[in-house]
Amino acid sequence: MHKSVGEHMNILVLHGPNLNLLGTREPGIYGVDTLETINEGLRDLAQELGCTVAIVQSNHEGTLVDAIQGALGMAEGILINPAAYTHTSIAIRDALAAVSLPTVEVHLSNIHRREEFRSHSFIAPVTEGQITGFGRDSYLLGLRAVFSLVKKRLSGEPGCDT
Ligand code: DQA
């Protein structure tokens, strides 16, 4: 069910495995912000933009798949940091393709300048784009991107590849 311009917009935010440990997990790579700090920043930005966020963190692939399937009818867009599942999960990719909501992939670290296995994303081809390497700001930039994509879609404006 799609909403029209002016109706309330909800964005599903998904955090993948080990992101619950942010703050203490390899701070030299992921920074010192905790997941709760990041979520607070997202809620504040959502309020400023005039939308809401529903936030889920899980260490389990199937739970993330269920949350993506559950987005239909409850969210208009998806912001996802699939974490390690970025590099392994066809199930998450297929779920995103199935619901076909405007989706942006984010990463705290720059996955293209780390180990080679991290530079491949199974998820990126089914998203509108990827924001990687800006720490906590990757999420904030990503939320702005999803918000703007959904607004354009609701008002019938063409996207970048149309
Ligand atoms: C990450 C990058 C992934 O390669 C890694 O497995 C993560 C976090 C990031 O946000 O930088 O868990 O998605």
Side-chain angles (χ1 to χ4, degrees):
M1 231 232 304
H2 289 289
K3 299 194 180 175
S4 57
V5 189
E7 277 188 75
H8 177 73
M9 188 200 300
N10 189 36
I11 294 171
L12 176 65
V13 177
L14 291 174
H15 303 286
N18 300 306
L19 294 172
N20 54 312
L21 300 180
L22 286 178
T24 55
R25 176 191 178 200
E26 300 185 86
I29 296 174
Y30 299 115
V32 293
D33 286 318
T34 62
L35 192 62
E36 199 34 52
T37 310
I38 290 171
N39 288 341
E40 270 168 31
L42 287 169
R43 284 189 208 101
D44 289 349
L45 177 60
Q47 198 176 11
E48 194 185 301
L49 294 171
C51 65
T52 50
V53 281
I55 304 177
V56 175
Q57 188 279 325
S58 179
N59 295 327
H60 304 279
E61 189 175 23
T63 305
L64 294 165
V65 168
D66 287 343
I68 293 165
Q69 290 186 10
L72 274 183
M74 81 64 127
E76 284 64 52
I78 300 177
L79 177 66
I80 182 167
N81 182 348
Y85 287 136
T86 307
H87 322 296
T88 64
S89 181
I90 296 170
I92 291 176
R93 176 195 174 121
D94 284 354
L96 289 170
V99 301
S100 192
L101 291 169
T103 298
V104 172
E105 173 184 334
V106 297
H107 299 282
L108 295 146
S109 63
N110 182 346
I111 59 170
H112 302 291
R113 55 184 235 195
R114 298 184 58 194
E115 300 96 328
E116 203 176 331
F117 69 85
R118 291 189 202 275
S119 64
H120 178 257
S121 170
F122 278 103
I123 311 302
V126 297
T127 68
E128 311 300 318
Q130 184 190 67
I131 299 172
T132 183
F134 301 98
R136 168 180 186 265
D137 286 346
S138 291
Y139 280 97
L140 300 175
L141 293 165
L143 183 61
R144 286 187 188 276
V146 178
F147 181 79
S148 150
L149 283 163
V150 173
K151 258 179 78 174
K152 282 185 192 149
R153 189 175 274 200
L154 293 177
S155 64
E157 249 184 77
C160 285
D161 357 289
T162 46

